[in-house]
Amino acid sequence: MRRKSLFLLVSLLTLALVIAGCSAPQTADAPKEDDVIKIGVFEPMTGANAAGGALEVEGAKLANKLYPEVLGKKVELVIVDNKSDKVEAANAAALLVEKEKVAAIIGSWGSSLSMAAGDVIREKVPTVGASCTNPLVTQDNDWYFRVCFIDPFQGKVMANYAYNNLGAKKTAIIQEVSNDYAIGLAKFYTDAFKELTGDDNSIVTVTNYNTGDQDFTAQLTNIKATNPDVIFAPGNFTESALIIKQARSLGITTPFIGGDTFETPEFVDIGGDAVEGAVFSTFFTSEKPITKESETFLAEYRKEYNKEPAAVTALAYDAYLVILDAIERAGTTDPAALRDAIAQTQGYEGAAGIISLDENGDAVKNAVIKEVKDGQFVYLDTIEPK
Amino acid sequence: MALKLFLQDILGGMTPELFLQHLTNGISLGSLYALIAIGYTMVYGILRLINFAHGDIFMMATYFTFYSIVLFSIPWYITFFLVIIMTGALGMVVEASAYRPLRDAPRISILISAIGASFLLENLAIVIFGGRPKAFPAPELFTKVFMIGSVSVQRLTVIIPVVTVALLFVLLYLINNTKSGMAMRAVSKDHETARLMGVDVDRTISLTFGIGSMLAAVGGMMWGLKFPQIAPLMGVIPGLKCFIAAVVGGIGNIKGAVIGGFILGIGEIMLVALLPSLTGYRDAFAFVLLIVILLFKPTGIMGEKITEKV
């Protein structure tokens, strides 16, 4: 009896080891020469956010292929995997900063992962996020920039859509509680929706789930009982797809709306018929090229990958261009000078729109609303910031 | 009617329909945990080894299914048997390469080797299959929904418990009534003595792993049907939870594993149902349950004395 309990305790400790277990981050092969400028790409390549990370890496790689040089030097991408994990994200960023000594960093998909890197890159390497929309990523960090809009705007856009287009008076929220992006977006949606309806009880329920969860039937059954007009589900794409699927099999017919994370091929693959009609806000649509760069990007992307690009791919492409442009203007890769040059970016014509960074380092841009129709992401509307 | 009133009494605001829906969800999840826990507990019962790679073998089974159906377009009913055989073989290979060389080593070495095997399989899957999640091909036959009153029930919700209970009986028969089963029980008591009695210990252990992995394969396929999304690390959390289910039921005890699985599944769902504010802590429920069991009844609910095994 005693031996057995001791053994079980030992196994429990081992279990803790397994959970905490982490392996060393991987590096891309990198020759060390002075005539090469290294730009780090810091993205989730494995784990729950892998599909999003892969889309952004495509964008950065394409930009690197089309614009391989700056200041007469070759630009080399150093891609590291942050494994969709906050701890790994800090490690991966440290690897880029300390070992690879990159001039600048692009990334990451996922605000939580970006925020985990915030303190690592501060005062060391200027970083440009592609699609991390949580305000906290750049707030109080002069070294972090982004080429996308932020969640207070995105939350407002979706609240407006729910109220005006769907005629919703009651919203239920199911959010990914371990994800800063989802929590932030849910909060901004809540604020905007309450203001629109003038009703403090218009958010009928807020329920949580964790990254990697697969069963949501209990939360959804609770939501069903509150009988909402619309369900707002900010969170990772795989979980969101499963949520909508399980909701439909529980007989919930309420429309689902969400944020930019929905726009990954996996969302439709996994969700299948269930995600038809899901509506979300995003950054860019290939149906409406905005600038000359958009056309170059679209043509080259289609040629290279033989499919339609996602918005986040265009943003990662833009992040690369913004960095290159700043290096050119600064005439050096000195971190402080490069940081200042990026901060001064105004009216830069990127693939996903015109980029002007505000005092926080955030781009002020239009949002696009899309819907899932016949397994495709279809453009619905463009919303301008006010 | 009396039942309805009774339910209303204990549940306050919750309607009986709502409660029954939660209960259905709980049974559905619990039976899945039970199915995977059986494999865990069987290997433990015979070898006194927690096979940490069990969750990863389970993950491999879902990928085998995915490639068989999507890439080779093999019908699901043939795939079902193919995958069970392939996964069984994989389990035997893992046993032969990671555990057999350590047969006479201290138990802790084998435990560490098991963790190593688990990491190896996970990273192998990332390299071979890619880190991006894939959609599991679930035939509609299994996922159709029907209504009982106002309660939505997926066909799987009925299928999984039936499969779990059927496999439970098959396994009990195998262990208690066949020659191989007798060999397994003998090995579980004492390797040396079993060997002296003419039992081929290596073969018996290999067989145990094969069967354990086949159970993981069935569990993996059922999991994939219910949660149609597969990824290289998908086995980690189910693996841990089903390990907990096995410990709660009394590790080494097959009936206990089924009971533990149901307790865990229904408990998780009911935690969310009755205390919605604790929803984010649902995974913690499993671990708290483990700690409580270890503190108050380390041998688990159906736990036997240390001298009796399987």
Side-chain angles (χ1 to χ4, degrees):
Chain A
M1 181 94 167
R2 209 164 142 194
R3 252 184 68 193
K4 184 157 184 178
S5 63
L6 191 73
F7 172 57
L8 281 173
L9 272 172
V10 169
S11 22
L12 196 70
L13 286 174
T14 328
L15 205 75
L17 198 83
V18 175
I19 302 167
C22 54
S23 41
Q26 324 152 317
T27 25
D29 22 280
K32 290 202 162 38
E33 289 158 37
D34 282 345
D35 52 346
V36 167
I37 292 177
K38 287 193 200 172
I39 296 182
V41 180
F42 156 71
E43 296 286 352
M45 307 291 288
T46 54
N49 305 334
L55 291 174
E56 294 198 354
V57 170
E58 283 178 359
K61 276 188 176 163
L62 183 67
N64 182 240
K65 197 182 161 209
L66 297 180
Y67 304 94
E69 280 187 5
V70 66
L71 301 179
K73 292 180 185 177
K74 202 174 166 300
V75 181
E76 187 182 277
L77 294 180
V78 183
I79 301 168
V80 293
D81 179 10
N82 63 35
K83 302 186 180 170
S84 311
D85 180 287
K86 290 179 208 175
V87 178
E88 291 288 347
N91 290 341
L95 186 89
L96 286 174
V97 172
E98 309 294 344
K99 183 157 172 282
E100 297 291 341
K101 310 242 182 275
V102 294
I105 298 176
I106 299 171
S108 163
W109 198 95
S111 298
S112 300
L113 302 172
S114 303
M115 283 153 70
D119 282 335
V120 180
I121 60 102
R122 195 195 299 268
E123 307 292 337
K124 287 188 178 128
V125 178
T127 300
V128 181
S131 69
C132 37
T133 47
N134 189 294
L136 295 174
V137 174
T138 56
Q139 200 173 312
D140 301 326
N141 191 342
D142 292 338
W143 291 71
Y144 224 122
F145 304 90
R146 69 181 123 207
V147 293
C148 55
F149 55 65
I150 55 174
D151 287 334
F153 175 54
Q154 183 166 217
K156 206 187 230 171
V157 165
M158 289 323 288
N160 270 310
Y161 178 83
Y163 183 74
N164 295 327
N165 299 47
L166 299 176
K169 301 279 179 289
K170 288 190 295 175
T171 302
I173 294 178
I174 176 162
Q175 62 186 3
E176 187 182 353
V177 72
S178 41
N179 183 341
D180 302 303
Y181 158 82
I183 299 288
L185 192 51
K187 181 188 169 294
F188 299 120
Y189 177 95
T190 303
D191 294 347
F193 194 74
K194 279 183 182 168
E195 203 181 309
L196 284 169
T197 53
D199 176 8
D200 262 359
N201 302 318
S202 55
I203 305 291
V204 286
T205 178
V206 178
T207 179
N208 300 324
Y209 65 91
N210 283 309
T211 317
D213 276 3
Q214 304 214 297
D215 183 275
F216 310 96
T217 49
Q219 289 97 317
L220 289 166
T221 304
N222 284 343
I223 285 181
K224 190 181 180 183
T226 62
N227 206 13
D229 301 322
V230 63
I231 301 173
F232 185 56
N236 193 32
F237 49 92
T238 39
E239 287 85 346
S240 303
L242 286 178
I243 286 173
I244 301 176
K245 220 172 162 134
Q246 287 172 23
R248 298 297 179 241
S249 73
L250 284 171
I252 299 173
T253 52
T254 317
F256 271 89
I257 59 175
D260 57 285
T261 45
F262 280 16
E263 198 185 18
T264 44
E266 277 74 3
F267 180 71
V268 174
D269 282 355
I270 293 165
D273 290 344
V275 298
E276 284 292 310
V279 172
F280 59 90
S281 51
T282 185
F283 312 94
F284 164 78
T285 176
S286 57
E287 282 137 319
K288 293 221 158 160
I290 312 161
T291 62
K292 244 182 95 199
E293 195 61 53
S294 320
E295 283 161 25
T296 317
F297 167 73
L298 286 172
E300 292 291 333
Y301 184 88
R302 287 176 185 141
K303 205 164 79 194
E304 181 92 10
Y305 295 102
N306 209 9
K307 59 180 180 186
E308 284 299 296
V312 296
T313 310
L315 289 171
Y317 179 93
D318 281 0
Y320 179 88
L321 292 190
V322 164
I323 291 171
L324 232 58
D325 175 62
I327 294 178
E328 212 157 86
R329 279 187 286 117
T332 167
T333 54
D334 171 65
L338 182 55
R339 192 213 75 82
D340 293 342
I342 295 175
Q344 284 154 14
T345 303
Q346 286 297 324
Y348 184 83
E349 297 202 359
I354 294 162
I355 302 157
S356 297
L357 298 184
D358 66 10
E359 69 279 7
N360 287 325
D362 301 328
V364 181
K365 278 182 160 179
N366 293 347
V368 167
I369 295 183
K370 290 192 190 178
E371 182 184 9
V372 180
K373 212 172 193 173
D374 301 326
Q376 303 287 326
F377 299 118
V378 181
Y379 171 80
L380 284 185
D381 202 3
T382 304
I383 313 286
E384 289 186 14
K386 272 169 211 141
Chain B
M1 202 59 213
L3 179 75
K4 216 168 167 172
L5 282 174
F6 170 70
L7 286 177
Q8 251 162 0
D9 262 6
I10 57 165
L11 296 170
M14 191 178 282
T15 62
E17 285 80 12
L18 195 58
F19 177 78
L20 287 176
Q21 180 74 61
H22 278 303
L23 193 65
T24 313
N25 298 341
I27 290 171
S28 171
L29 185 65
S31 56
L32 207 48
Y33 285 156
L35 186 53
I36 303 164
I38 295 177
Y40 247 117
T41 218
M42 189 190 106
V43 170
Y44 180 86
I46 288 163
L47 297 177
R48 287 284 171 268
L49 162 70
I50 295 167
N51 181 16
F52 274 106
H54 195 73
D56 302 294
I57 288 173
F58 151 96
M59 171 273 294
M60 284 299 208
T62 65
Y63 273 98
F64 291 159
T65 318
F66 174 84
Y67 283 104
S68 170
I69 293 183
V70 175
L71 212 60
F72 300 106
S73 312
I74 301 170
W76 63 266
Y77 41 87
I78 300 176
T79 294
F80 194 80
F81 289 103
L82 268 180
V83 169
I84 291 179
I85 292 164
M86 275 157 57
T87 314
L90 175 73
M92 288 176 169
V93 170
V94 169
E95 191 274 328
S97 49
Y99 307 141
R100 188 171 302 173
L102 295 169
R103 188 79 78 226
D104 299 318
R107 194 156 287 152
I108 194 79
S109 309
I110 309 178
L111 194 71
I112 292 166
S113 178
I115 294 171
S118 157
F119 281 177
L120 178 75
L121 287 175
E122 283 165 18
N123 288 293
L124 212 60
I126 291 176
V127 172
I128 300 174
F129 309 130
R132 295 169 68 164
K134 292 186 161 60
F136 189 86
E140 206 168 287
L141 183 71
F142 296 103
T143 53
K144 267 246 162 65
V145 175
F146 61 91
M147 305 290 288
I148 302 176
S150 63
V151 178
S152 316
V153 185
Q154 223 181 2
R155 282 190 187 162
L156 270 177
T157 306
V158 183
I159 296 171
I160 298 174
V162 171
V163 170
T164 306
V165 173
L167 285 178
L168 172 70
F169 283 110
V170 169
L171 201 60
L172 285 176
Y173 176 82
L174 199 78
I175 288 173
N176 292 327
N177 299 24
T178 65
K179 207 154 184 187
S180 305
M182 199 190 283
M184 284 178 190
R185 280 179 290 147
V187 168
S188 86
K189 297 235 157 97
D190 191 332
H191 288 192
E192 289 305 312
T193 316
R195 191 171 284 141
L196 288 173
M197 297 294 154
V199 174
D200 186 340
V201 174
D202 283 342
R203 203 186 133 269
T204 306
I205 291 179
S206 185
L207 185 70
T208 309
F209 264 88
I211 295 172
S213 303
M214 287 176 174
L215 289 167
V218 179
M221 283 185 280
M222 293 296 158
W223 190 280
L225 289 171
K226 189 163 163 54
F227 308 119
Q229 173 236 330
I230 59 175
L233 299 182
M234 65 177 285
V236 178
I237 290 291
L240 288 177
K241 285 199 180 158
C242 296
F243 166 67
I244 293 171
V247 172
V248 168
I251 191 147
N253 184 303
I254 293 170
K255 279 177 259 176
V258 173
I259 294 171
F262 277 106
I263 290 178
L264 195 59
I266 295 173
E268 267 188 20
I269 297 279
M270 286 305 164
L271 177 82
V272 177
L274 302 175
L275 303 163
S277 56
L278 293 181
T279 307
Y281 298 99
R282 130 175 212 184
D283 284 353
F285 172 78
F287 296 104
V288 170
L289 186 65
L290 177 66
I291 292 167
V292 169
I293 281 283
L294 287 183
L295 283 179
F296 295 105
K297 200 167 188 314
T299 50
I301 292 168
M302 300 279 286
E304 298 147 51
K305 285 194 191 78
I306 198 84
T307 47
E308 266 195 316
K309 292 166 193 176
V310 179

Short mmCIF file of all heavy atoms in Angstrom, two decimals, chain B residues 204-230:
data_model
loop_
_atom_site.label_atom_id
_atom_site.label_comp_id
_atom_site.label_asym_id
_atom_site.label_seq_id
_atom_site.Cartn_x
_atom_site.Cartn_y
_atom_site.Cartn_z
N THR B 204 4.89 -12.72 -24.37
CA THR B 204 3.69 -12.33 -23.65
C THR B 204 3.62 -10.81 -23.48
O THR B 204 2.58 -10.20 -23.66
CB THR B 204 3.67 -13.01 -22.26
OG1 THR B 204 3.83 -14.41 -22.46
CG2 THR B 204 2.39 -12.73 -21.53
N ILE B 205 4.77 -10.22 -23.14
CA ILE B 205 4.79 -8.77 -22.95
C ILE B 205 4.53 -8.05 -24.27
O ILE B 205 3.78 -7.08 -24.34
CB ILE B 205 6.13 -8.34 -22.31
CG1 ILE B 205 6.19 -8.86 -20.87
CG2 ILE B 205 6.27 -6.82 -22.33
CD1 ILE B 205 7.44 -8.54 -20.13
N SER B 206 5.14 -8.59 -25.31
CA SER B 206 4.93 -8.02 -26.64
C SER B 206 3.44 -8.06 -27.00
O SER B 206 2.87 -7.09 -27.50
CB SER B 206 5.76 -8.80 -27.65
OG SER B 206 5.67 -8.20 -28.90
N LEU B 207 2.82 -9.18 -26.71
CA LEU B 207 1.39 -9.34 -26.99
C LEU B 207 0.57 -8.33 -26.19
O LEU B 207 -0.37 -7.72 -26.69
CB LEU B 207 0.97 -10.77 -26.63
CG LEU B 207 -0.47 -11.15 -26.97
CD1 LEU B 207 -0.63 -11.26 -28.47
CD2 LEU B 207 -0.87 -12.46 -26.30
N THR B 208 0.96 -8.15 -24.92
CA THR B 208 0.26 -7.19 -24.07
C THR B 208 0.31 -5.80 -24.70
O THR B 208 -0.70 -5.10 -24.76
CB THR B 208 0.93 -7.13 -22.68
OG1 THR B 208 1.05 -8.45 -22.19
CG2 THR B 208 0.13 -6.28 -21.73
N PHE B 209 1.49 -5.43 -25.16
CA PHE B 209 1.63 -4.11 -25.79
C PHE B 209 0.81 -4.03 -27.07
O PHE B 209 0.20 -3.01 -27.36
CB PHE B 209 3.09 -3.80 -26.08
CG PHE B 209 3.71 -3.00 -25.01
CD1 PHE B 209 4.30 -3.61 -23.92
CD2 PHE B 209 3.68 -1.61 -25.07
CE1 PHE B 209 4.84 -2.88 -22.90
CE2 PHE B 209 4.22 -0.87 -24.06
CZ PHE B 209 4.81 -1.50 -22.97
N GLY B 210 0.84 -5.12 -27.83
CA GLY B 210 0.06 -5.15 -29.06
C GLY B 210 -1.40 -4.89 -28.77
O GLY B 210 -2.03 -4.04 -29.38
N ILE B 211 -1.95 -5.62 -27.77
CA ILE B 211 -3.37 -5.46 -27.45
C ILE B 211 -3.64 -4.07 -26.90
O ILE B 211 -4.60 -3.41 -27.27
CB ILE B 211 -3.82 -6.56 -26.46
CG1 ILE B 211 -3.71 -7.93 -27.13
CG2 ILE B 211 -5.24 -6.31 -25.98
CD1 ILE B 211 -3.94 -9.09 -26.21
N GLY B 212 -2.75 -3.60 -26.02
CA GLY B 212 -2.91 -2.26 -25.46
C GLY B 212 -2.95 -1.22 -26.57
O GLY B 212 -3.77 -0.30 -26.55
N SER B 213 -2.08 -1.37 -27.56
CA SER B 213 -2.03 -0.41 -28.65
C SER B 213 -3.26 -0.52 -29.55
O SER B 213 -3.75 0.47 -30.08
CB SER B 213 -0.78 -0.62 -29.48
OG SER B 213 0.35 -0.50 -28.64
N MET B 214 -3.77 -1.74 -29.70
CA MET B 214 -4.99 -1.91 -30.48
C MET B 214 -6.14 -1.17 -29.81
O MET B 214 -6.96 -0.54 -30.47
CB MET B 214 -5.34 -3.39 -30.62
CG MET B 214 -4.44 -4.13 -31.57
SD MET B 214 -4.86 -5.88 -31.56
CE MET B 214 -3.81 -6.47 -32.86
N LEU B 215 -6.17 -1.24 -28.47
CA LEU B 215 -7.20 -0.51 -27.74
C LEU B 215 -7.02 0.99 -27.96
O LEU B 215 -7.99 1.73 -28.15
CB LEU B 215 -7.13 -0.82 -26.25
CG LEU B 215 -7.57 -2.22 -25.85
CD1 LEU B 215 -7.17 -2.51 -24.41
CD2 LEU B 215 -9.07 -2.37 -26.01
N ALA B 216 -5.74 1.43 -27.97
CA ALA B 216 -5.48 2.84 -28.23
C ALA B 216 -5.96 3.22 -29.62
O ALA B 216 -6.48 4.32 -29.84
CB ALA B 216 -3.99 3.14 -28.09
N ALA B 217 -5.82 2.28 -30.57
CA ALA B 217 -6.25 2.55 -31.94
C ALA B 217 -7.76 2.77 -31.99
O ALA B 217 -8.24 3.72 -32.60
CB ALA B 217 -5.85 1.40 -32.85
N VAL B 218 -8.50 1.88 -31.32
CA VAL B 218 -9.96 2.05 -31.31
C VAL B 218 -10.30 3.38 -30.64
O VAL B 218 -11.12 4.16 -31.14
CB VAL B 218 -10.64 0.88 -30.57
CG1 VAL B 218 -12.14 1.08 -30.54
CG2 VAL B 218 -10.30 -0.44 -31.22
N GLY B 219 -9.63 3.66 -29.52
CA GLY B 219 -9.87 4.93 -28.82
C GLY B 219 -9.56 6.11 -29.73
O GLY B 219 -10.31 7.07 -29.79
N GLY B 220 -8.45 6.02 -30.44
CA GLY B 220 -8.05 7.11 -31.32
C GLY B 220 -9.06 7.35 -32.42
O GLY B 220 -9.42 8.50 -32.70
N MET B 221 -9.55 6.28 -33.00
CA MET B 221 -10.52 6.45 -34.08
C MET B 221 -11.82 7.04 -33.56
O MET B 221 -12.42 7.91 -34.18
CB MET B 221 -10.75 5.13 -34.79
CG MET B 221 -9.59 4.79 -35.72
SD MET B 221 -9.86 3.33 -36.69
CE MET B 221 -9.46 2.08 -35.50
N MET B 222 -12.24 6.58 -32.39
CA MET B 222 -13.47 7.13 -31.80
C MET B 222 -13.28 8.61 -31.46
O MET B 222 -14.16 9.44 -31.67
CB MET B 222 -13.85 6.36 -30.52
CG MET B 222 -14.24 4.92 -30.77
SD MET B 222 -15.72 4.83 -31.77
CE MET B 222 -15.58 3.21 -32.45
N TRP B 223 -12.10 8.91 -30.94
CA TRP B 223 -11.78 10.31 -30.59
C TRP B 223 -11.84 11.17 -31.85
O TRP B 223 -12.42 12.25 -31.87
CB TRP B 223 -10.40 10.38 -29.95
CG TRP B 223 -10.08 11.71 -29.36
CD1 TRP B 223 -9.67 12.83 -30.03
CD2 TRP B 223 -10.17 12.09 -27.99
NE1 TRP B 223 -9.49 13.88 -29.16
CE2 TRP B 223 -9.79 13.45 -27.90
CE3 TRP B 223 -10.52 11.40 -26.82
CZ2 TRP B 223 -9.76 14.13 -26.68
CZ3 TRP B 223 -10.49 12.09 -25.61
CH2 TRP B 223 -10.11 13.44 -25.56
N GLY B 224 -11.22 10.66 -32.91
CA GLY B 224 -11.21 11.40 -34.18
C GLY B 224 -12.62 11.63 -34.72
O GLY B 224 -12.93 12.69 -35.25
N LEU B 225 -13.48 10.63 -34.56
CA LEU B 225 -14.85 10.78 -35.05
C LEU B 225 -15.58 11.84 -34.25
O LEU B 225 -16.34 12.64 -34.78
CB LEU B 225 -15.61 9.46 -34.93
CG LEU B 225 -15.19 8.36 -35.91
CD1 LEU B 225 -15.86 7.05 -35.55
CD2 LEU B 225 -15.55 8.75 -37.34
N LYS B 226 -15.32 11.86 -32.96
CA LYS B 226 -16.03 12.81 -32.10
C LYS B 226 -15.45 14.21 -32.21
O LYS B 226 -16.18 15.19 -32.27
CB LYS B 226 -15.98 12.34 -30.65
CG LYS B 226 -16.88 13.15 -29.74
CD LYS B 226 -17.13 12.41 -28.44
CE LYS B 226 -17.67 13.33 -27.36
NZ LYS B 226 -18.86 14.07 -27.75
N PHE B 227 -14.11 14.31 -32.23
CA PHE B 227 -13.45 15.63 -32.34
C PHE B 227 -12.61 15.61 -33.61
O PHE B 227 -11.42 15.34 -33.55
CB PHE B 227 -12.56 15.87 -31.12
CG PHE B 227 -13.25 15.67 -29.81
CD1 PHE B 227 -12.83 14.71 -28.92
CD2 PHE B 227 -14.35 16.45 -29.48
CE1 PHE B 227 -13.47 14.52 -27.71
CE2 PHE B 227 -14.99 16.27 -28.27
CZ PHE B 227 -14.55 15.30 -27.38
N PRO B 228 -13.24 15.94 -34.75
CA PRO B 228 -12.58 15.62 -36.03
C PRO B 228 -11.42 16.54 -36.37
O PRO B 228 -11.42 17.20 -37.38
CB PRO B 228 -13.72 15.77 -37.03
CG PRO B 228 -14.65 16.72 -36.40
CD PRO B 228 -14.51 16.57 -34.92
N GLN B 229 -10.44 16.59 -35.51
CA GLN B 229 -9.27 17.41 -35.77
C GLN B 229 -8.08 16.68 -35.19
O GLN B 229 -8.10 16.30 -34.03
CB GLN B 229 -9.46 18.77 -35.09
CG GLN B 229 -8.25 19.66 -35.13
CD GLN B 229 -7.84 20.08 -33.75
OE1 GLN B 229 -8.67 20.20 -32.85
NE2 GLN B 229 -6.57 20.31 -33.56
N ILE B 230 -7.05 16.45 -36.00
CA ILE B 230 -5.91 15.70 -35.49
C ILE B 230 -4.63 16.50 -35.63
O ILE B 230 -4.46 17.25 -36.59
CB ILE B 230 -5.78 14.31 -36.16
CG1 ILE B 230 -5.60 14.45 -37.67
CG2 ILE B 230 -6.97 13.46 -35.84
CD1 ILE B 230 -5.36 13.12 -38.36
#
